[in-house]
Amino acid sequence: DGELGSQRRDVEELVSFIANELKPDVVCFSNALLAGAVRSLRQNFAGRIFCTLQGDDIFLDGLSDRHRQGAIDRISSRATDFDGFLVHSDYYRDHMSGMLHLPVEKFSRIPLGIDFSGFSARDSLRTDGDFRIGYFARVCPEKGLHLLVEAVRKVRAEHPQVKLVAGGYLGSRDAAYFEQVRRDARDLGEAFEYIGSPAEQSEKVTFLQSLDVLSVPAPYQEPKGIYVLEALACGVPVVQPAHGAYPEMIAATEGGLLFRPGDTDDLAAKLSGLIANPTQRAELVARGGTLVRERFSLTAMTIATISAFEALPHNATGGPSGDPDGLETP
């Protein structure tokens, strides 16, 4: 509720700091859940105001029926004061423009960008020992570790050398879910391992480099999926569900395969196909490793972001600055 809500003093403090002390050319909110502050900011700041959308829906959909629609309606009403919105996929543009009743022309697609300096691929495919199928994402129902356990069980019927190794943050909210996954995976024995959440990036890279393929079979329609880019940067092909942002990521990187969402038979078939065809795996690794660095670098993300800030029309109602666009400083 912004200036009308119980956090109005905090909104006033934030707006005063931005408009009178920080004085930026552009303000970019990190998510739409902060939209309560945009109206006061619009009245006191003459520069452009943007908002990045990257998972807002999963929070809103998790609210009780009593609060969900009210929160969406408030955000939708206040979001009209933003000049534009940044998203990482066409899927999420269409999804959020529909949820918040916002015109698609106010959306700009910005590629995810990662710093590749700490990532490197193996010199060649692993050819000895077990075949390691990996999972690296937050451990929660939305990311689908339980589906991968089921698929790997089916794969092992034909390829008993397969092992599933999972990593990622596990919060207290999802502890019961993970215990159920562990119980379901008991028949896999030592063929299932959870390594926890690596403390350093170097540990994460080492883990990814140890894999032969990565899959995060999320039932939730993921708006970004940065773990796909990190796996490809480490020379690991991916198998992802054909929904959300994944089809766009696979098309852009050519580093993986898609399966029918929620279909563990199809997921198992795609994984088994890669086990049986090392040539295909090598091709995915080569193309994916090259294209992910070309199209998802920090430079590519920066250029697209600046272009979006400059291209979308200004929505200002006028503020204290004499510069109507807030872009006097390059």
Side-chain angles (χ1 to χ4, degrees):
D1 287 326
E3 73 287 347
L4 302 177
S6 57
Q7 284 84 36
R8 56 186 175 276
R9 291 183 180 178
D10 299 290
V11 171
E12 292 169 0
E13 181 180 349
L14 173 66
V15 169
S16 177
F17 173 73
I18 291 174
N20 301 320
E21 298 182 46
L22 191 61
K23 298 179 180 179
D25 298 307
V26 172
V27 172
C28 188
F29 284 51
S30 61
N31 60 74
L33 306 177
L34 303 174
V38 70
R39 187 167 300 164
S40 293
L41 182 60
R42 172 62 68 203
Q43 293 169 351
N44 292 273
F45 173 69
R48 285 180 166 88
I49 307 175
F50 290 80
C51 182
T52 299
L53 301 174
Q54 50 180 344
D56 310 66
D57 60 321
I58 194 170
F59 178 87
L60 292 168
D61 287 340
L63 295 176
S64 67
D65 292 340
R66 176 185 173 189
H67 296 294
R68 179 181 179 274
Q69 193 56 51
I72 291 174
D73 291 343
R74 284 170 170 81
I75 292 174
S76 177
S77 173
R78 290 178 174 269
T80 58
D81 284 319
F82 286 113
D83 290 296
F85 302 89
L86 309 183
V87 292
H88 300 300
S89 65
D90 291 343
Y91 151 73
Y92 208 57
R93 174 200 64 198
D94 296 339
H95 179 61
M96 291 306 292
S97 66
M99 173 180 274
L100 299 180
H101 307 292
L102 299 168
V104 294
E105 57 267 21
K106 293 187 72 171
F107 285 71
S108 296
R109 176 179 172 179
I110 307 298
L112 283 171
I114 63 175
D115 183 355
F116 291 107
S117 60
F119 292 85
S120 60
R122 296 188 305 265
D123 294 333
S124 59
L125 297 179
R126 295 176 68 250
T127 56
D128 57 339
D130 51 19
F131 187 94
R132 293 166 64 89
I133 297 173
Y135 169 101
F136 190 82
R138 187 162 64 92
V139 178
C140 60
E142 295 86 355
K143 302 296 184 182
L145 179 58
H146 59 291
L147 297 177
L148 190 57
V149 168
E150 183 178 344
V152 166
R153 180 180 295 113
K154 296 174 180 180
V155 171
R156 280 175 54 81
E158 183 179 354
H159 304 281
Q161 79 278 22
V162 164
K163 182 176 183 179
L164 170 58
V165 189
Y169 171 74
L170 173 61
S172 58
R173 188 204 76 164
D174 298 302
Y177 163 75
F178 183 58
E179 285 308 309
Q180 183 60 53
V181 171
R182 279 190 185 277
R183 288 192 292 270
D184 291 344
R186 276 185 297 198
D187 63 304
L188 298 180
E190 294 182 355
F192 173 66
E193 178 185 2
Y194 173 62
I195 66 160
S197 182
E200 304 289 340
Q201 177 177 288
S202 58
E203 297 176 23
K204 176 170 64 174
V205 170
T206 298
F207 168 68
L208 290 173
Q209 290 173 337
S210 74
L211 305 177
D212 296 292
V213 62
L214 178 122
S215 181
V216 180
Y220 166 63
Q221 297 196 40
E222 176 69 67
K224 45 183 183 177
I226 199 167
Y227 39 80
V228 170
L229 308 182
E230 293 176 333
L232 295 176
C234 290
V236 180
V238 299
V239 179
Q240 293 300 115
H243 64 186
Y246 297 129
E248 297 171 56
M249 299 181 80
I250 298 303
T253 61
E254 301 180 22
L257 303 176
L258 297 170
F259 71 93
R260 291 187 295 274
D263 188 337
T264 56
D265 287 334
D266 193 36
L267 173 56
K270 295 297 193 303
L271 292 170
S272 294
L274 289 179
I275 295 172
N277 193 342
T279 299
Q280 183 185 24
R281 291 207 320 273
E283 292 172 350
L284 293 175
V285 166
R287 292 198 300 270
T290 298
L291 291 176
V292 75
R293 285 173 168 80
E294 288 179 1
R295 298 175 178 177
F296 294 91
S297 67
L298 295 183
T299 299
M301 180 176 64
T302 301
I303 292 172
T305 302
I306 293 173
S307 296
F309 287 161
E310 294 177 338
L312 287 170
H314 192 35
N315 191 34
T317 58
S321 170
D323 173 22
D325 289 329
L327 295 173
E328 200 167 23
T329 303

Coordinates of all heavy atoms in Angstrom, one line a residue, residues 67-132:
H67 N -5.5 -13.5 0.5 CA -4.6 -12.4 0.2 C -4.1 -12.3 -1.2 O -3.7 -11.2 -1.7 CB -3.4 -12.4 1.1 CG -3.7 -12.3 2.6 ND1 -4.2 -11.2 3.1 CD2 -3.6 -13.2 3.6 CE1 -4.4 -11.3 4.4 NE2 -4.1 -12.6 4.7
R68 N -4.1 -13.4 -2.0 CA -3.5 -13.4 -3.3 C -4.0 -12.4 -4.3 O -3.3 -11.6 -4.8 CB -3.6 -14.8 -3.9 CG -2.9 -15.0 -5.3 CD -3.1 -16.4 -5.8 NE -2.5 -16.5 -7.1 CZ -3.1 -16.1 -8.3 NH1 -4.4 -15.7 -8.3 NH2 -2.5 -16.2 -9.4
Q69 N -5.3 -12.4 -4.5 CA -5.9 -11.5 -5.5 C -5.7 -10.1 -5.1 O -5.5 -9.2 -5.9 CB -7.3 -11.9 -5.8 CG -7.9 -11.2 -7.1 CD -7.0 -11.5 -8.3 OE1 -6.8 -12.7 -8.6 NE2 -6.6 -10.5 -9.0
G70 N -5.9 -9.8 -3.8 CA -5.7 -8.4 -3.3 C -4.3 -7.9 -3.6 O -4.1 -6.8 -4.0
A71 N -3.3 -8.8 -3.4 CA -1.9 -8.4 -3.6 C -1.7 -8.1 -5.1 O -1.1 -7.1 -5.5 CB -1.0 -9.4 -3.1
I72 N -2.2 -9.0 -5.9 CA -2.1 -8.8 -7.4 C -2.7 -7.6 -7.8 O -2.1 -6.8 -8.6 CB -2.6 -10.1 -8.1 CG1 -1.8 -11.3 -7.8 CG2 -2.7 -9.8 -9.6 CD1 -2.3 -12.6 -8.4
D73 N -3.9 -7.3 -7.3 CA -4.6 -6.1 -7.7 C -3.9 -4.8 -7.3 O -3.8 -3.8 -8.1 CB -6.0 -6.0 -7.1 CG -6.9 -7.1 -7.7 OD1 -6.6 -7.6 -8.8 OD2 -8.0 -7.4 -7.1
R74 N -3.3 -4.8 -6.1 CA -2.5 -3.6 -5.7 C -1.3 -3.4 -6.5 O -0.9 -2.3 -6.9 CB -2.2 -3.7 -4.2 CG -3.4 -3.5 -3.3 CD -3.0 -3.8 -1.8 NE -4.0 -3.4 -0.9 CZ -5.1 -4.0 -0.6 NH1 -5.4 -5.1 -1.3 NH2 -6.0 -3.6 0.3
I75 N -0.6 -4.5 -6.8 CA 0.6 -4.4 -7.6 C 0.3 -3.9 -9.0 O 1.0 -3.1 -9.6 CB 1.4 -5.8 -7.6 CG1 2.0 -6.1 -6.2 CG2 2.5 -5.7 -8.7 CD1 2.6 -7.5 -6.1
S76 N -0.8 -4.5 -9.6 CA -1.2 -4.1 -10.9 C -1.5 -2.7 -11.0 O -1.1 -2.0 -12.0 CB -2.4 -5.0 -11.3 OG -2.9 -4.6 -12.6
S77 N -2.2 -2.1 -10.0 CA -2.5 -0.7 -10.0 C -1.3 0.2 -9.9 O -1.2 1.2 -10.6 CB -3.5 -0.4 -8.8 OG -3.7 0.9 -8.7
R78 N -0.4 -0.2 -9.1 CA 0.8 0.7 -8.9 C 1.9 0.5 -9.9 O 2.7 1.4 -10.2 CB 1.4 0.4 -7.5 CG 0.4 1.0 -6.4 CD 1.0 0.7 -5.0 NE 0.1 1.4 -4.0 CZ 0.3 2.6 -3.5 NH1 1.4 3.3 -4.0 NH2 -0.5 3.2 -2.6
A79 N 1.9 -0.7 -10.6 CA 2.9 -1.0 -11.6 C 2.7 -0.1 -12.8 O 3.7 0.0 -13.6 CB 2.8 -2.5 -12.0
T80 N 1.6 0.5 -13.0 CA 1.5 1.4 -14.2 C 2.4 2.6 -14.1 O 2.6 3.3 -15.1 CB 0.0 1.9 -14.3 OG1 -0.4 2.6 -13.1 CG2 -0.9 0.8 -14.5
D81 N 2.9 2.9 -12.9 CA 3.9 4.0 -12.7 C 5.3 3.7 -13.2 O 6.1 4.6 -13.2 CB 3.9 4.5 -11.3 CG 2.6 5.3 -10.9 OD1 2.2 6.1 -11.7 OD2 2.1 5.1 -9.8
F82 N 5.6 2.4 -13.4 CA 6.9 2.1 -14.0 C 7.0 2.4 -15.4 O 6.0 2.4 -16.2 CB 7.1 0.6 -13.8 CG 7.4 0.1 -12.4 CD1 6.5 -0.7 -11.7 CD2 8.6 0.5 -11.8 CE1 6.7 -1.1 -10.4 CE2 8.9 0.1 -10.5 CZ 7.9 -0.7 -9.8
D83 N 8.2 2.9 -15.9 CA 8.4 3.1 -17.3 C 8.5 1.8 -18.1 O 8.1 1.8 -19.2 CB 9.7 3.9 -17.5 CG 9.6 5.4 -17.0 OD1 8.8 6.1 -17.5 OD2 10.3 5.7 -16.0
G84 N 9.0 0.8 -17.5 CA 9.1 -0.5 -18.2 C 9.5 -1.6 -17.3 O 9.8 -1.4 -16.1
F85 N 9.5 -2.8 -17.8 CA 9.8 -4.0 -17.1 C 10.9 -4.8 -17.8 O 10.9 -4.9 -19.0 CB 8.6 -4.8 -16.9 CG 7.5 -4.1 -16.2 CD1 6.5 -3.3 -16.9 CD2 7.4 -4.1 -14.8 CE1 5.5 -2.6 -16.3 CE2 6.4 -3.3 -14.2 CZ 5.5 -2.6 -14.9
L86 N 11.8 -5.4 -17.0 CA 12.9 -6.2 -17.6 C 12.6 -7.7 -17.2 O 12.3 -8.0 -16.1 CB 14.2 -5.8 -17.0 CG 14.6 -4.4 -17.1 CD1 16.0 -4.2 -16.6 CD2 14.5 -3.8 -18.5
V87 N 12.6 -8.6 -18.2 CA 12.4 -10.0 -18.0 C 13.5 -10.7 -18.8 O 14.1 -10.2 -19.7 CB 11.0 -10.4 -18.5 CG1 9.9 -9.9 -17.6 CG2 10.8 -10.0 -20.0
H88 N 13.6 -12.0 -18.4 CA 14.7 -12.8 -19.0 C 14.2 -13.8 -20.1 O 14.9 -14.6 -20.6 CB 15.4 -13.6 -18.0 CG 16.1 -12.7 -17.0 ND1 17.1 -11.8 -17.3 CD2 15.9 -12.6 -15.6 CE1 17.5 -11.1 -16.2 NE2 16.8 -11.6 -15.2
S89 N 12.8 -13.8 -20.4 CA 12.3 -14.7 -21.4 C 11.0 -14.1 -21.9 O 10.3 -13.4 -21.2 CB 12.1 -16.1 -20.8 OG 11.1 -16.1 -19.8
D90 N 10.7 -14.5 -23.2 CA 9.4 -14.1 -23.7 C 8.3 -14.8 -23.0 O 7.2 -14.2 -22.8 CB 9.3 -14.5 -25.2 CG 10.3 -13.7 -26.1 OD1 10.7 -12.6 -25.6 OD2 10.6 -14.1 -27.2
Y91 N 8.5 -16.0 -22.5 CA 7.5 -16.7 -21.7 C 7.1 -15.8 -20.5 O 5.9 -15.6 -20.3 CB 8.0 -18.1 -21.2 CG 7.3 -18.4 -19.9 CD1 6.0 -18.8 -19.9 CD2 8.0 -18.3 -18.7 CE1 5.4 -19.1 -18.7 CE2 7.4 -18.6 -17.5 CZ 6.1 -19.0 -17.5 OH 5.5 -19.3 -16.3
Y92 N 8.1 -15.3 -19.8 CA 7.7 -14.6 -18.6 C 7.1 -13.2 -18.9 O 6.3 -12.7 -18.1 CB 9.0 -14.4 -17.7 CG 8.6 -14.3 -16.2 CD1 7.9 -15.3 -15.6 CD2 9.0 -13.3 -15.5 CE1 7.6 -15.3 -14.2 CE2 8.7 -13.2 -14.1 CZ 8.0 -14.2 -13.5 OH 7.6 -14.1 -12.2
R93 N 7.5 -12.6 -20.0 CA 6.9 -11.4 -20.4 C 5.4 -11.6 -20.6 O 4.6 -10.9 -20.0 CB 7.5 -10.9 -21.7 CG 6.8 -9.7 -22.4 CD 7.1 -9.7 -23.9 NE 6.6 -10.9 -24.6 CZ 7.0 -11.2 -25.8 NH1 7.9 -10.6 -26.4 NH2 6.4 -12.3 -26.4
D94 N 5.0 -12.7 -21.3 CA 3.6 -12.9 -21.6 C 2.9 -13.3 -20.3 O 1.7 -12.9 -20.1 CB 3.5 -14.0 -22.6 CG 4.0 -13.6 -24.0 OD1 4.2 -12.4 -24.2 OD2 4.4 -14.6 -24.8
H95 N 3.5 -14.1 -19.5 CA 2.9 -14.6 -18.2 C 2.6 -13.4 -17.3 O 1.5 -13.2 -16.8 CB 3.8 -15.6 -17.5 CG 3.2 -16.1 -16.3 ND1 2.0 -16.8 -16.2 CD2 3.7 -16.1 -15.0 CE1 1.8 -17.1 -14.9 NE2 2.8 -16.7 -14.2
M96 N 3.6 -12.5 -17.1 CA 3.5 -11.5 -16.1 C 2.6 -10.3 -16.6 O 1.9 -9.6 -15.9 CB 4.8 -11.0 -15.6 CG 5.6 -12.0 -14.8 SD 4.7 -12.6 -13.3 CE 4.6 -11.1 -12.3
S97 N 2.7 -10.1 -17.9 CA 1.8 -9.0 -18.5 C 0.4 -9.4 -18.3 O -0.5 -8.6 -18.1 CB 2.2 -8.7 -20.0 OG 1.9 -9.9 -20.8
G98 N 0.1 -10.7 -18.4 CA -1.3 -11.2 -18.2 C -1.7 -11.1 -16.8 O -2.8 -10.7 -16.4
M99 N -0.8 -11.6 -15.9 CA -1.1 -11.6 -14.5 C -1.4 -10.2 -13.9 O -2.3 -10.0 -13.1 CB 0.0 -12.3 -13.7 CG -0.2 -12.2 -12.1 SD 1.1 -13.0 -11.2 CE 0.5 -14.7 -11.2
L100 N -0.5 -9.2 -14.3 CA -0.6 -7.9 -13.8 C -1.3 -6.9 -14.7 O -1.4 -5.7 -14.4 CB 0.8 -7.4 -13.5 CG 1.6 -8.2 -12.5 CD1 3.0 -7.5 -12.3 CD2 0.9 -8.2 -11.1
H101 N -1.9 -7.4 -15.8 CA -2.6 -6.6 -16.7 C -1.8 -5.4 -17.2 O -2.3 -4.2 -17.2 CB -3.9 -6.1 -16.1 CG -4.8 -7.2 -15.5 ND1 -5.4 -8.1 -16.3 CD2 -5.1 -7.5 -14.2 CE1 -6.0 -9.0 -15.6 NE2 -5.8 -8.7 -14.3
L102 N -0.6 -5.7 -17.7 CA 0.3 -4.6 -18.2 C 0.6 -4.8 -19.7 O 0.6 -6.0 -20.2 CB 1.6 -4.7 -17.4 CG 1.5 -4.5 -15.9 CD1 2.8 -4.9 -15.2 CD2 1.1 -3.1 -15.6
P103 N 0.7 -3.7 -20.5 CA 1.0 -3.9 -21.9 C 2.3 -4.5 -22.2 O 3.3 -4.1 -21.6 CB 0.9 -2.4 -22.4 CG 1.2 -1.6 -21.2 CD 0.6 -2.3 -20.0
V104 N 2.3 -5.4 -23.1 CA 3.6 -6.1 -23.4 C 4.6 -5.2 -24.0 O 5.8 -5.5 -23.9 CB 3.4 -7.3 -24.4 CG1 2.5 -8.4 -23.7 CG2 2.7 -6.9 -25.7
E105 N 4.2 -4.1 -24.6 CA 5.2 -3.2 -25.2 C 6.1 -2.5 -24.1 O 7.1 -1.9 -24.5 CB 4.5 -2.2 -26.1 CG 3.5 -1.3 -25.4 CD 2.1 -1.9 -25.6 OE1 2.0 -3.1 -25.9 OE2 1.1 -1.2 -25.5
K106 N 5.7 -2.6 -22.9 CA 6.5 -2.0 -21.8 C 7.5 -3.0 -21.3 O 8.3 -2.7 -20.4 CB 5.6 -1.5 -20.6 CG 4.7 -0.4 -21.0 CD 3.9 0.2 -19.8 CE 4.9 0.9 -18.8 NZ 4.1 1.6 -17.7
F107 N 7.6 -4.2 -21.9 CA 8.5 -5.2 -21.4 C 9.8 -5.3 -22.4 O 9.6 -5.2 -23.6 CB 7.9 -6.6 -21.4 CG 6.9 -6.7 -20.2 CD1 5.7 -6.1 -20.2 CD2 7.2 -7.6 -19.2 CE1 4.8 -6.2 -19.1 CE2 6.4 -7.8 -18.1 CZ 5.2 -7.1 -18.1
S108 N 10.9 -5.5 -21.8 CA 12.1 -5.7 -22.6 C 12.8 -7.0 -22.1 O 12.9 -7.2 -20.9 CB 13.1 -4.5 -22.3 OG 12.6 -3.3 -22.8
R109 N 13.2 -7.8 -23.0 CA 13.9 -9.1 -22.7 C 15.4 -8.8 -22.5 O 16.0 -8.3 -23.5 CB 13.6 -10.1 -23.8 CG 14.3 -11.4 -23.5 CD 14.0 -12.4 -24.6 NE 14.8 -13.6 -24.5 CZ 14.7 -14.7 -25.3 NH1 13.9 -14.7 -26.3 NH2 15.5 -15.7 -25.2
I110 N 15.9 -9.2 -21.4 CA 17.3 -9.0 -21.1 C 17.9 -10.4 -20.9 O 17.4 -11.2 -20.0 CB 17.5 -8.2 -19.8 CG1 16.7 -6.9 -19.9 CG2 19.0 -8.0 -19.5 CD1 17.2 -6.0 -21.0
P111 N 19.0 -10.8 -21.6 CA 19.5 -12.1 -21.3 C 20.1 -12.2 -19.9 O 20.7 -11.2 -19.4 CB 20.6 -12.2 -22.4 CG 21.0 -10.8 -22.7 CD 19.7 -10.0 -22.6
L112 N 20.0 -13.4 -19.3 CA 20.8 -13.6 -18.1 C 22.2 -13.5 -18.4 O 22.7 -13.8 -19.5 CB 20.5 -15.0 -17.6 CG 19.2 -15.3 -16.9 CD1 19.0 -16.8 -16.6 CD2 19.1 -14.5 -15.6
G113 N 23.0 -13.0 -17.5 CA 24.4 -12.8 -17.7 C 25.2 -13.4 -16.5 O 24.8 -13.1 -15.4
I114 N 26.2 -14.1 -16.8 CA 27.1 -14.6 -15.7 C 28.5 -14.3 -16.0 O 28.9 -14.2 -17.1 CB 26.9 -16.1 -15.4 CG1 27.3 -17.0 -16.6 CG2 25.5 -16.4 -15.0 CD1 27.2 -18.5 -16.3
D115 N 29.3 -14.2 -14.9 CA 30.8 -14.0 -15.1 C 31.4 -15.4 -15.3 O 31.5 -16.2 -14.5 CB 31.3 -13.4 -13.8 CG 32.8 -13.1 -13.9 OD1 33.4 -13.4 -14.9 OD2 33.3 -12.5 -12.9
F116 N 31.9 -15.5 -16.5 CA 32.5 -16.8 -16.9 C 33.9 -17.0 -16.5 O 34.5 -18.1 -16.8 CB 32.4 -17.0 -18.5 CG 31.0 -17.2 -19.0 CD1 30.4 -16.1 -19.6 CD2 30.3 -18.3 -18.7 CE1 29.1 -16.3 -20.1 CE2 29.0 -18.5 -19.2 CZ 28.4 -17.5 -19.9
S117 N 34.5 -16.0 -15.8 CA 35.9 -16.1 -15.5 C 36.2 -17.3 -14.6 O 37.3 -17.8 -14.6 CB 36.4 -14.8 -14.8 OG 35.7 -14.6 -13.7
G118 N 35.3 -17.7 -13.8 CA 35.5 -18.8 -12.8 C 35.1 -20.2 -13.4 O 35.2 -21.2 -12.7
F119 N 34.6 -20.2 -14.6 CA 34.0 -21.4 -15.2 C 34.9 -21.9 -16.3 O 35.4 -21.2 -17.2 CB 32.6 -21.2 -15.7 CG 31.6 -20.9 -14.6 CD1 31.4 -19.6 -14.2 CD2 30.8 -21.9 -14.1 CE1 30.5 -19.4 -13.2 CE2 29.9 -21.7 -13.1 CZ 29.7 -20.4 -12.7
S120 N 35.1 -23.3 -16.4 CA 35.8 -23.9 -17.5 C 35.3 -25.3 -17.7 O 34.8 -25.9 -16.7 CB 37.3 -23.9 -17.2 OG 37.6 -24.7 -16.0
A121 N 35.4 -25.8 -18.9 CA 35.0 -27.1 -19.2 C 36.1 -28.1 -19.2 O 37.3 -27.8 -19.3 CB 34.3 -27.1 -20.6
R122 N 35.7 -29.4 -19.0 CA 36.7 -30.5 -19.1 C 37.3 -30.5 -20.5 O 36.6 -30.1 -21.5 CB 36.1 -31.8 -18.8 CG 35.6 -31.9 -17.3 CD 35.2 -33.4 -17.1 NE 34.2 -33.8 -18.0 CZ 32.9 -33.8 -17.9 NH1 32.4 -33.3 -16.7 NH2 32.0 -34.2 -18.8
D123 N 38.5 -31.1 -20.7 CA 39.1 -31.2 -22.0 C 38.3 -32.3 -22.8 O 38.3 -32.2 -24.1 CB 40.6 -31.7 -21.8 CG 41.4 -30.6 -21.2 OD1 41.0 -29.4 -21.3 OD2 42.4 -30.9 -20.6
S124 N 37.7 -33.2 -22.2 CA 37.0 -34.3 -23.0 C 35.9 -34.9 -22.1 O 35.8 -34.6 -20.9 CB 38.0 -35.4 -23.4 OG 38.6 -36.0 -22.2
L125 N 35.0 -35.7 -22.7 CA 33.9 -36.3 -22.0 C 34.5 -37.4 -21.0 O 35.5 -38.0 -21.3 CB 33.0 -37.0 -23.0 CG 32.2 -36.1 -24.0 CD1 31.3 -37.0 -24.9 CD2 31.3 -35.1 -23.2
R126 N 33.8 -37.6 -19.9 CA 34.2 -38.7 -19.0 C 33.8 -40.0 -19.7 O 32.7 -40.1 -20.2 CB 33.4 -38.6 -17.7 CG 33.7 -37.3 -16.9 CD 32.9 -37.2 -15.6 NE 33.2 -38.3 -14.7 CZ 32.4 -39.3 -14.4 NH1 31.2 -39.4 -15.0 NH2 32.7 -40.2 -13.5
T127 N 34.7 -40.9 -19.7 CA 34.5 -42.2 -20.4 C 34.7 -43.4 -19.5 O 34.5 -44.5 -19.9 CB 35.4 -42.3 -21.6 OG1 36.8 -42.2 -21.1 CG2 35.2 -41.3 -22.6
D128 N 35.1 -43.2 -18.2 CA 35.3 -44.3 -17.4 C 34.5 -44.2 -16.1 O 34.1 -43.1 -15.7 CB 36.8 -44.5 -17.0 CG 37.3 -43.2 -16.3 OD1 36.7 -42.1 -16.5 OD2 38.3 -43.3 -15.6
G129 N 34.2 -45.3 -15.5 CA 33.4 -45.3 -14.2 C 32.0 -45.1 -14.4 O 31.4 -45.4 -15.5
D130 N 31.3 -44.6 -13.4 CA 29.8 -44.4 -13.5 C 29.5 -43.2 -14.4 O 30.3 -42.4 -14.7 CB 29.3 -44.2 -12.1 CG 30.0 -43.1 -11.3 OD1 30.7 -42.3 -12.0 OD2 29.9 -43.0 -10.1
F131 N 28.2 -43.2 -14.8 CA 27.6 -42.0 -15.5 C 26.9 -41.2 -14.6 O 25.9 -41.6 -13.9 CB 26.7 -42.6 -16.7 CG 26.3 -41.5 -17.6 CD1 27.0 -41.2 -18.8 CD2 25.1 -40.7 -17.3 CE1 26.5 -40.2 -19.6 CE2 24.7 -39.7 -18.2 CZ 25.4 -39.5 -19.3
R132 N 27.3 -39.9 -14.4 CA 26.8 -39.1 -13.3 C 25.7 -38.1 -13.9 O 26.0 -37.2 -14.7 CB 27.9 -38.3 -12.7 CG 28.8 -39.2 -11.9 CD 30.1 -38.5 -11.5 NE 29.9 -37.4 -10.6 CZ 29.9 -37.5 -9.3 NH1 30.1 -38.7 -8.7 NH2 29.8 -36.4 -8.5

